[in-house]
Amino acid sequence: MMAGVTRRTFLHGVAGAAAAGGVRPLWTETDRQAVAGFAETVTRDARLVWRRPPMDWTTAACLGNGVSTVRVQRAAREDALAFRFGDTAAWESAGPSLELVLAGTPTAVDWELDLWDAELTGTVTTTRGSVGLSALVHRDLGALLVSLSPGAGEEAAAWAPTAGVAWREHRIGTRRLLVAATRPSAVTGALAGTPDSLVVTHRAWWHRFHSGAVLSIPDKTMQRFHRVQRYHAAVTPPSVPSPSGFTLPGTGSKSGPRTHPVLAGDLPGRWRNCRHDKEMLRDTVRPALRDTVDFYAEYLVEGADGRLHLPLTHSPEYADVVDCTYDLSILRWAIARLGELDRPAPPRWADLATRLVPYHTDASGVMIGAGVRLAESHRHASHLLWLYPFREKVGLARRSFDHWTSMRSGWHGHSHVTAATMAASLGCPDEALEHLRHFLGGTALLDTELTPNALYRRGSVSDHTVPAAAGEALLEMVVRAGEDGPAAFPAIPASWRDVAVAGVPVPGAGTMDALRRDGRTEWVRITDDRSTVETTGGAVVPGGGAGPPLADVPGEPGARRWGLPDPFVGRPTSTDRLS
């Protein structure tokens, strides 16, 4: 079995108090502090555990502040641990490191990465003794702080930095405090404060962060994954957009791939998050949309059918084709969004929208393009871009999705994540759950997999966007921000009888609190900076109206009680650590 944290350990958690009979009474709250208490419970429940020294980035303990990262693992030399620094989204990158050289060879560890505090704590056992440690990357400063407590036999443990690492160590009795960073100013800033104050400010940021987007679902594997994914999203620096298979019309793949402004800039995501702020969208998203439409418009050709057709382009990782569905879906989405921003829509946008050729279809659903159907397994499903992320309503959506998922021999791990999101958007929760479970199961598909420490690898390369997308797929099942407004529990599996969300961001609509009990949605509350909207039994009640049917809290006029399913429902009662 691979050394380090096991997938089973991080998914199923560590031993803790379990409810008698498997279920505790519903937890109630009277204010946001109680929500934070619930958030702490589910976040600590998702902590990662190691019993053997991690050997590489796929099993390493990952620390960071969204700018600077540190991964903790075995060093190349047998008698040392390495704290490897980085400042990119590539966890496998070989940056400068600080090594803890030990008297003996590490044989075992007893580590926990507590996500609530974003701290790694525990001991490392060697052939000569043991060393206690606690480590974090300070959220504000980006400096690595390590507290060491060497035991008998390991008093001589010492730090050995490589070039590019600034560091300072203080000794207080047998306790040793280290500050290190790749920027000397970060070390200077950390030394200006006391260790206790640094820990307090670091933990305070993480506690605020984890108090948002809290899910309580019966599937605790999914719940823990969601917490780990949120942690990694806050730890990892943003990735640089990669080429999206965009080619010049008329040349197909011969022109080589280019970065597409719509996808590389995540314009669909930015549109969803800010769709109510039209002024901001006009300033930031509209220019890219105009450039996209202007670019394609130069190449459109009117056919004998009176429709505007697109010359040969490339459907990513599949084929060169005329009227490529991939490009047409991008163009159609950009035209529609421009029409929303410029009202009344200029005649040019309306003409393009009306005359643009429809997607080519056959008995299997939407095709790759003119005369080319999906005939073999396709890991990216670029011809289904209109289904997700563009969420375009197409009559053959279900048939097209079923045809794609019927051929999986060429799928990678991320294919199941995409399928889960599409299934949820189609209102097929059990299928979405099946795909997510397959991804979380860690099965290696064509040298891709979810790693034991909840990262994702493609060969030897990491890609943090894939587990992040899996977390988004889970949210798609629980909360959705559609064109018709936000929806709670749009794709909940029948086996999930009790579900609750607290402070979950709804793109473009604020945050949502909602409760589903015994298979029935009891109430929903959506809050933004301007207003609150509540629903009861499916009816929308504007903020200030009757509100949900909740009992008043005795002694607290105006306060309301609301319940969340117990975080330990369905939790294993036995210890599940790697021995």
Side-chain angles (χ1 to χ4, degrees):
M1 184 176 290
M2 186 178 292
V5 63
T6 64
R7 182 178 302 101
R8 182 182 63 183
T9 301
F10 108 71
L11 290 179
H12 296 293
V14 297
V23 180
R24 289 178 177 173
L26 287 177
W27 176 81
T28 60
E29 67 112 5
T30 59
D31 55 27
R32 284 293 165 187
Q33 290 182 346
V35 173
F38 180 78
E40 179 178 359
T41 299
V42 297
T43 305
R44 290 194 190 277
D45 177 60
R47 61 192 181 273
L48 283 75
V49 177
W50 287 257
R51 283 290 179 259
R52 284 177 284 182
M55 303 302 292
D56 58 23
W57 70 267
T58 66
T59 54
C62 302
L63 304 170
N65 71 336
V67 177
S68 302
T69 63
V70 173
R71 69 178 198 257
V72 188
Q73 64 186 69
R74 280 282 297 268
R77 54 188 294 176
E78 292 186 354
D79 62 346
L81 293 176
F83 291 73
R84 299 193 179 279
F85 292 80
D87 57 6
T88 72
W91 282 102
E92 73 281 5
S93 62
S97 67
L98 187 67
E99 295 186 353
L100 178 62
V101 181
L102 303 161
T105 301
T107 57
V109 298
D110 183 6
W111 290 352
E112 288 189 358
L113 178 52
D114 185 345
L115 307 184
W116 180 251
D117 292 335
E119 296 176 26
L120 177 69
T121 59
T123 59
V124 54
T125 300
T126 74
T127 54
R128 297 285 296 275
S130 65
V131 178
L133 65 83
S134 177
L136 60 86
V137 170
H138 193 271
R139 186 67 207 184
D140 297 328
L141 300 174
L144 171 68
L145 309 179
V146 182
S147 173
L148 289 182
S149 299
E154 283 292 348
E155 296 90 346
W159 293 103
T162 61
V165 178
W167 65 289
R168 185 79 61 84
E169 185 182 55
H170 292 284
R171 300 193 179 213
I172 306 173
T174 60
R175 187 182 177 204
R176 296 159 55 177
L177 303 176
L178 170 94
V179 179
T182 55
R183 295 181 298 108
S185 59
V187 176
T188 303
L191 292 174
T194 64
D196 287 345
S197 65
L198 292 173
V199 171
V200 167
T201 57
H202 170 82
R203 289 178 177 175
W205 188 94
W206 281 99
H207 295 173
R208 290 192 300 271
F209 172 78
H210 284 304
S211 294
V214 181
L215 304 184
S216 180
I217 56 180
D219 191 323
K220 297 309 166 186
T221 293
M222 297 291 175
Q223 180 173 292
R224 293 179 184 112
F225 173 77
H226 178 251
R227 304 316 295 176
V228 175
Q229 177 273 320
R230 276 182 55 79
Y231 168 80
H232 278 158
V235 161
T236 307
S239 58
V240 177
S242 56
S244 304
F246 173 55
T247 59
L248 293 175
T251 64
S253 56
K254 293 180 180 179
S255 66
R258 288 167 170 77
T259 300
H260 202 292
V262 169
L263 301 180
D266 189 25
L267 297 195
R270 290 165 64 184
W271 182 274
R272 288 195 304 273
N273 290 329
C274 307
R275 64 194 187 92
H276 294 302
D277 191 342
K278 300 298 185 184
E279 183 177 351
M280 191 280 292
L281 289 173
R282 290 189 185 97
D283 293 340
T284 62
V285 175
R286 187 174 182 272
L289 295 176
R290 287 186 62 99
D291 289 346
T292 297
V293 174
D294 289 342
F295 171 80
Y296 280 115
E298 291 186 16
Y299 295 93
L300 293 174
V301 177
E302 184 174 0
D305 57 359
R307 295 285 191 175
L308 297 176
H309 294 262
L310 191 63
L312 190 78
T313 58
H314 183 70
S315 186
E317 298 199 19
Y318 200 86
D320 289 351
V321 62
V322 172
D323 286 346
C324 177
T325 298
Y326 172 82
D327 290 280
L328 287 176
S329 65
I330 294 175
L331 176 56
R332 183 169 278 110
W333 182 84
I335 293 172
R337 301 293 80 77
L338 282 173
E340 289 186 43
L341 291 176
D342 297 336
R343 298 210 176 194
R348 183 184 181 212
W349 304 146
D351 179 65
L352 285 176
T354 301
R355 299 175 61 205
L356 191 64
V357 62
Y359 304 132
H360 292 265
T361 62
D362 67 2
S364 67
V366 175
M367 302 169 69
I368 301 296
V372 180
R373 73 193 300 262
L374 181 68
E376 60 187 41
S377 184
H378 187 7
R379 64 173 179 154
H380 277 308
S382 52
H383 69 301
L384 299 183
L385 206 65
W386 49 269
L387 176 56
Y388 190 83
F390 293 150
R391 302 173 187 269
E392 186 180 340
K393 293 180 173 63
V394 175
L396 294 176
R398 179 73 221 197
R399 186 182 301 177
S400 305
F401 174 76
D402 288 345
H403 183 63
W404 172 58
T405 60
S406 68
M407 297 176 285
R408 304 184 186 182
S409 61
W411 277 23
H412 288 190
H414 67 75
S415 306
H416 282 282
V417 173
T418 301
T421 307
M422 289 182 176
S425 68
L426 288 170
C428 304
D430 291 324
E431 290 181 58
L433 184 60
E434 180 256 322
H435 286 293
L436 278 180
R437 283 177 172 167
H438 193 101
F439 176 72
L440 267 62
T443 303
L445 294 174
L446 299 181
D447 205 21
T448 69
E449 66 176 333
L450 181 69
T451 61
N453 56 0
L455 298 175
Y456 180 80
R457 71 171 185 86
R458 293 180 288 109
S460 60
V461 177
S462 64
D463 185 351
H464 80 280
T465 64
V466 175
E472 290 299 315
L474 176 59
L475 285 178
E476 182 79 12
M477 299 166 67
V478 179
V479 172
R480 183 179 303 157
E483 294 299 322
D484 299 327
F489 314 130
I492 297 297
S495 58
W496 291 10
R497 304 293 293 172
D498 295 326
V499 182
V501 298
V504 173
V506 181
T511 61
M512 179 182 289
D513 303 330
L515 174 64
R516 181 179 179 85
R517 185 153 39 196
D518 196 24
R520 176 181 174 273
T521 300
E522 294 198 351
W523 59 266
V524 179
R525 180 187 295 117
I526 299 173
T527 306
D528 63 17
D529 293 336
R530 296 161 295 180
S531 62
T532 297
V533 174
E534 299 172 333
T535 71
T536 62
V540 176
V541 181
L550 305 176
D552 290 335
V553 178
E556 298 184 39
R560 298 289 185 92
R561 273 192 204 280
W562 54 289
L564 290 176
D566 183 276
F568 293 102
V569 172
R571 182 181 183 182
T573 57
S574 61
T575 301
D576 191 17
R577 299 187 184 186
L578 176 63
S579 58

